[in-house]
Amino acid sequence: MRRRAAAAGRAKLAEVFVTAAALQPKLIVEADAEALARAAAERVMARIAANSGRIAICLTGGSSPKRLYQLLGSEAYQGKIPWQRVHWFIGDERFVPESDPLNNMAVARATFLDRNAPAGHVHPIPTTADSPDQSAEAYARELQAFYGSKDLDPRRPLFDVVLMGVGPDGHTASLFPGFPEIEETGRWVVGVPKANVAPFVPRVSLTLPVLASCHEMLFEIAGHDKQAILTRLLNGGTLPASRARSHGETVWLVDRAALPEEFRGRR
Ligand code: 6PG
């Protein structure tokens, strides 16, 4: 009896360790931004290949994913993506019209989606609402309708892949350090009245628990400009980008220019 209880205790403990290990981001270093974008494309393709049903990919904004988007629309990948089975969402949006060059989904659409994805499979955050809060509510409803529930089940992730970037202040999506939205655990999507860094336009962002609901969260962090913030993150700084974790795998794809000096010799 006691032996069985001990074995059960060990199993529980092992589970805890496995869960903890799975939550740790995996750091992958690539030679440069081009190699990093190619590695990201391969990871996205692997997640697509792993799902024979309906696939959901959550894109991100900023400049970091642009090369990846070009690759996904290029001859090398475009023919391999089962467009009829893939749905494209966005993790955060600048509250500007779709015609504005700052609009994140508009960049993804122009770069690869409009030429390839069925129109009904592209799910932008609507920015025609009266306020970022209303836009957030509308997008939450859209995500919940797609998922088929208002409650996220960790055994059935919402997304196959969530792409992410890191800002100079450690923000990710539009979740800024010290802002109340980073602590949100109830709502799926929030309005962010002002940004902490440029562009200083209101934002709409998915919250941490919703971003976590994925098989893989994939950060792209490239260029010397990212070295300072990556140094803080790798040294254990508690910032939105380090709090954003997938229930599945979290990967930080980094290039050598972004890697802090102290980590270079080790790779
Ligand atoms: C946005 C974002 C944001 C971005 C980071 C990194 O709308 O601005 O989605 O979180 O990913 O700020 O931006 P860069 O890729 O431009 O460095």
Side-chain angles (χ1 to χ4, degrees), residues 10-41:
R10 269 199 305 277
K12 260 250 161 63
L13 212 59
E15 216 171 89
V16 170
F17 283 133
V18 169
T19 311
L23 286 175
Q24 284 309 312
K26 183 198 251 179
L27 182 69
I28 299 177
V29 182
E30 296 290 341
D32 52 30
E34 178 63 21
L36 184 148
R38 289 183 182 276

Side-chain angles (χ1 to χ4, degrees), residues 19 38 42 46-47 62 75 91 102 137 147 178 180 183 196 236 242:
T19 311
R38 289 183 182 276
E42 288 300 320
R47 288 293 168 185
E75 230 172 85
L102 288 177
E137 280 167 29
Y147 185 65
E183 306 301 338
N196 198 38
S242 50

